[in-house]
Amino acid sequence: MRPRSSAPPRWCGRRGLPATAGTVLGRQDAGVSVFWDIPYAAAPVGPGRFAAPAAPLPWTGARDAGAPGPTAPAALRAGFGPLDLSALLGSRWVTGQDYLSVNVWTPSPYRDRLPVMVYVHGGGFLNGSGRAALYDGTGFARGGVVLVTLNYAYLFRWRSTAFGGSLGACHCAELPFVFDRTGVPGLRGPQALLGDGDLPSDLASHMYRAWTGFAATGDPGWAPYRPGEDRTVQVIDERWRPAHV
């Protein structure tokens, strides 16, 4: 498998998109349009930090959505001991009040009735950012996907070689394969999430196709998990197999 480049793309054009509070102007290149930092709520300042979100203030003209915006306040927590998770959690707090925003990747030119994937980043309500390097949606947009809501169960068993193999198939180790972003700096190395050993040649492309297929057709390639009936779980490793639990 050839890892995707982690370098930011050199955008060759701009594209406008109507939003609820106004028009945003993003960037497009190679069949993908990206719109960064679109407010979904007003900035939570003063008493607003402890109140329900309010609608964003409308704007006139086109709002520049061509670059990432601020992130929610958080202490730096890039490492868990010597384990580097900056690619998943972000490397720093990007200050600013208007951090209640979304980022959107979409195929370009846009087509009607596209599937949409909404991914909510992790972080234990303490850390994390939708602009972390791992969560680049370019691959999904190129696959014709804008959302997936996951109602299927899976068991990820591929074991990382980090820390001499003691990290194993830990929580969040599957995400670089889901996004097909195993080449992101900070993910490889003896003390990084994916370790420094060889990766399975087609695991990332296989997982990416499963998630893209689910978003587009509702079928990731295995039977759904039905409690009390056919409780099928897809076991994901170098070789994939269904299991009944």
Side-chain angles (χ1 to χ4, degrees):
M1 179 185 66
R2 184 179 62 189
R4 296 191 177 188
S5 171
S6 60
R10 292 178 293 178
W11 300 101
C12 64
R14 303 298 300 269
R15 180 185 168 197
L17 179 75
T20 302
T23 298
V24 291
L25 186 63
R27 296 184 179 272
Q28 62 180 356
D29 183 53
V32 174
S33 292
V34 61
F35 302 88
W36 293 96
D37 195 30
I38 303 174
Y40 66 82
V45 297
R49 292 184 183 276
F50 306 98
L57 296 175
W59 57 85
T60 58
R63 179 187 177 101
D64 190 354
T71 61
L76 180 62
R77 196 186 178 202
F80 287 70
L83 176 61
D84 182 8
L85 289 181
S86 58
L88 284 79
L89 299 177
S91 58
R92 64 187 179 92
W93 171 23
V94 182
T95 59
Q97 299 287 0
D98 290 305
Y99 55 80
L100 297 183
S101 63
V102 297
N103 309 312
V104 178
W105 286 261
T106 181
S108 183
Y110 180 77
R111 305 184 298 278
D112 288 337
R113 303 182 66 82
L114 287 173
V116 179
M117 170 178 161
V118 175
Y119 182 81
V120 180
H121 69 77
F125 301 105
L126 296 172
N127 296 87
S129 165
R131 58 175 285 179
L134 177 59
Y135 306 135
D136 184 301
T138 299
F140 283 103
R142 286 178 177 161
V145 172
V146 184
L147 159 70
V148 62
T149 301
L150 208 57
N151 288 327
Y152 284 67
Y154 67 94
L155 175 61
F156 187 76
R157 278 190 173 171
W158 178 80
R159 299 183 62 84
S160 170
T161 59
F163 301 98
S166 61
L167 193 61
C170 69
H171 173 62
C172 81
E174 79 276 17
L175 293 177
F177 298 96
V178 171
F179 281 82
D180 199 0
R181 297 273 292 165
T182 55
V184 171
L187 290 176
R188 303 302 309 279
Q191 295 182 340
L193 184 64
L194 299 183
D196 56 359
D198 294 334
L199 300 180
S201 60
D202 62 351
L203 181 58
S205 59
H206 198 164
M207 290 193 72
Y208 166 77
R209 287 196 303 270
W211 265 251
T212 303
F214 182 82
T217 68
D219 181 8
W222 63 84
Y225 180 93
R226 296 187 178 95
E229 300 178 27
D230 182 12
R231 298 187 296 176
T232 300
V233 174
Q234 182 71 19
V235 178
I236 297 175
D237 201 339
E238 295 189 33
R239 293 182 178 180
W240 290 38
R241 62 179 178 84
H244 302 278
V245 297

